[in-house]
């Protein structure tokens, strides 16, 4: 209790410090204005220029220190808060729905991409890069992959087809790499299969039941069972695949769309008058957003505070969705789904969170109502 009170007191001091710094920095940072109609040619030079502005450097440095202090305070008080143990226990009940969550997250935007006419990312429109016949074939392929995933039919095979289609598209049209989140999504679905509810699960149940007519003619359920048994040992790494994939996507977005290519970001700041929302230099908006995305990505790559980071990402996507009226909603559905899955699964193997949990677990009291408490009682 004393530790918690001390953490609260420090949080109050932190908030007061931020307010004072904000009051001091606001007049100094407001004098720089960038011409968004003529975006900078050298994104790296632009980013360095923003970061080396004294007022901006103070703002970014203080924000970084506060973030590190917040993480340290959380790790310090974490073992004394049983709520996190109860939350993890509750989320284990949702594990069976993760395959369904992932299928919806990839299937819906793929169907939308096929009907609207773009390749995975709205920035790669089929009408701009393909001929008439190829356009129709690409759109039918994406719609087909999307519907098969939504129904959960031949799920693993369709996921591999989707992965090959994405990789091929990224090789031919490198801009498609901006939709990198499809890679961990397809890999995770290929490992997990359709799950429940899915057409695969229903057909397997019918085919494996004695005396069914469908079981006599079904040619795939036995082979599918063999493949599932071979893949089962690797499903434990699905949280790792999703976490690293989502983290790499965040780093790519922060670098590629913000720090190294700030022009579009500056255009967004000007279009929506974001400096009226938070009165800082437009460059601070763009560089700050890029650094935040990179920070999210790095934390996910190492698997530190995975669920908290995934929840923060989900909030970030939601705010963006409602704050930008013409935001391409379909482009974010996959990111929404992956963030939800990472929040449900946690850091998984090969993560700092997993190491912290294993080191704290022997000294932790069972959470109220948990199975461990029941066994110990």
């Amino acid at each position: 209790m004393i530790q918690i009170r001390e953490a609260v007191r420090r949080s109050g001091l932190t908030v007061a410090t931020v307010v004072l710094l904000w009051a001091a920095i606001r007049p100094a940072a407001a004098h720089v204005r960038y011409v968004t109609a003529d975006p900078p040619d050298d994104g790296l030079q632009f980013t360095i220029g923003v970061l080396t502005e004294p007022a901006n450097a103070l703002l970014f440095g203080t924000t970084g220190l506060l973030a590190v202090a917040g993480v340290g305070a959380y790790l310090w008080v974490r073992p004394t808060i049983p709520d996190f143990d109860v939350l993890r226990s509750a989320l284990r009940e949702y594990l069976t729905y993760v395959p369904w969550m992932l299928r919806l997250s990839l299937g819906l935007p793929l169907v939308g991409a096929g009907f609207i006419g773009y390749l995975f990312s709205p920035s790669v429109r089929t009408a701009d890069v393909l001929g008439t016949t190829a356009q129709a074939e690409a759109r039918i392929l994406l719609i087909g992959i999307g519907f098969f995933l939504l129904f959960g039919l031949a799920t693993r095979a369709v996921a591999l087809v989707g992965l090959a289609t994405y990789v091929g598209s990224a090789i031919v049209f490198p801009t498609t790499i901006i939709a990198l989140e499809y890679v961990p999504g397809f890999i995770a679905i290929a490992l997990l299969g359709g799950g429940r509810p899915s057409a695969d699960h229903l057909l397997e149940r019918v085919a494996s039941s004695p005396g069914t007519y469908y079981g006599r003619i079904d040619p795939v359920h036995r082979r599918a069972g063999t493949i599932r048994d071979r893949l089962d040992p690797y499903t434990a790494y699905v949280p790792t695949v999703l976490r690293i994939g989502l983290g790499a996507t965040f780093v790519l977005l922060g670098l590629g769309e913000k720090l190294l290519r700030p022009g579009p970001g500056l255009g967004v700041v000007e279009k929506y008058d974001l400096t009226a929302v938070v009165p800082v230099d437009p460059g601070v908006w763009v560089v700050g957003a890029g650094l935040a995305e990179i920070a999210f990505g790095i934390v996910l790559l190492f698997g530190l505070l995975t669920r908290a980071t995934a929840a923060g990402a989900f909030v970030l996507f939601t705010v963006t969705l409602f704050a930008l009226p013409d935001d391409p909603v379909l482009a974010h559905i996959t990111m929404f789904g992956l963030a939800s899955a990472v929040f449900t699964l946690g850091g998984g193997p090969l993560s700092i969170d997993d190491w912290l949990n294993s080191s704290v677990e022997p000294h932790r009291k069972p959470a109220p109502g948990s199975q461990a408490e029941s066994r110990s009682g």
Side-chain angles (χ1 to χ4, degrees), residues 96-97 99-100 103 149-152 194-202:
T96 185
Y97 301 110
W100 184 38
R103 290 192 291 108
L149 289 178
L150 290 176
F151 287 122
R196 295 182 296 176
S198 69
D200 285 341
H201 176 257
L202 292 176

Side-chain angles (χ1 to χ4, degrees), residues 9-363:
R9 185 182 69 82
R10 291 178 181 175
S11 300
L13 292 174
T14 298
V15 172
T17 304
V18 171
V19 172
L20 290 173
L21 286 170
W22 183 263
I25 290 170
R26 176 176 172 179
H31 76 281
V32 180
R33 288 292 177 268
Y34 297 99
V35 181
T36 57
D38 185 19
D41 295 327
D42 191 336
L44 181 59
Q45 183 178 358
F46 170 84
T47 299
I48 294 173
V50 172
L51 292 175
T52 53
E53 176 75 21
N56 296 342
L58 180 60
L59 177 60
F60 284 121
T62 303
T63 303
L65 289 175
L66 291 175
V68 172
V71 171
Y74 167 77
L75 294 175
W76 180 264
V77 303
R78 179 173 176 242
T80 67
I81 303 177
D83 305 56
F84 299 115
D85 298 327
V86 177
L87 176 64
R88 283 198 299 270
S89 178
L91 287 172
R92 291 191 192 102
E93 302 173 10
Y94 301 151
L95 297 182
T96 185
Y97 301 110
V98 169
W100 184 38
M101 187 186 306
L102 294 172
R103 290 192 291 108
L104 292 177
S105 302
L106 271 68
L108 287 172
L110 285 174
V111 172
F115 278 111
I116 295 173
Y118 62 82
L119 290 173
F120 296 98
S121 170
S123 61
V124 186
R125 300 191 64 85
T126 54
D128 299 332
V129 297
L130 297 174
T132 304
T133 303
Q135 283 184 53
E137 293 173 349
R139 295 174 72 167
I140 291 172
L141 176 60
L142 293 178
I143 292 171
I145 293 173
F147 271 119
F148 270 82
L149 289 178
L150 290 176
F151 287 122
L153 182 61
T155 309
R156 286 190 169 95
V158 171
L160 293 176
V161 171
L163 180 62
T165 303
Y166 173 82
V167 171
S169 300
I171 292 173
V172 179
F173 311 109
T175 310
T176 311
I177 199 173
I178 206 69
L180 184 63
E181 66 271 13
Y182 278 97
V183 172
F186 281 132
I187 293 175
I189 292 174
L191 288 173
L192 293 173
R196 295 182 296 176
S198 69
D200 285 341
H201 176 257
L202 292 176
L203 293 175
E204 183 183 5
R205 288 292 298 272
V206 175
S208 59
S209 298
T212 59
Y213 291 101
Y214 178 72
R216 300 174 186 175
I217 62 173
D218 178 73
V220 299
H221 78 275
R222 289 187 180 86
R223 294 179 181 176
T226 301
I227 294 174
R228 183 183 62 248
D229 292 340
R230 291 181 178 178
L231 291 176
D232 273 346
Y234 303 100
T235 57
Y237 293 96
V238 167
T240 307
V241 169
L242 293 174
R243 170 175 55 79
I244 292 177
L246 186 60
T249 303
F250 267 117
V251 172
L252 177 65
L253 291 174
L255 282 174
E257 286 196 335
K258 308 295 191 305
L259 301 189
L260 300 181
R261 191 168 165 260
L266 291 171
V268 170
V269 173
E270 182 183 47
K271 179 178 180 180
Y272 297 105
D273 195 19
L274 297 181
T275 54
V277 180
V278 179
V280 294
D281 169 56
V284 172
W285 261 102
V286 177
V287 174
L291 292 177
E293 288 180 340
I294 293 172
F296 270 78
I298 291 174
V299 171
L300 285 172
L301 287 172
F302 284 97
L304 176 63
L305 306 181
T306 305
R307 285 194 169 100
T309 306
F314 195 90
V315 172
L316 179 65
F317 297 147
T318 304
V319 171
T320 304
L321 182 64
F322 287 101
L324 306 181
D326 56 353
D327 191 56
V329 178
L330 280 173
H332 293 306
I333 290 179
T334 306
M335 297 285 281
F336 270 104
L338 262 63
S340 301
V342 170
F343 179 78
T344 303
L345 296 171
L350 309 178
S351 68
I352 295 177
D353 284 340
D354 186 55
W355 176 77
L356 289 174
N357 290 334
S358 62
S359 62
V360 172
E361 195 66 35
H363 309 288

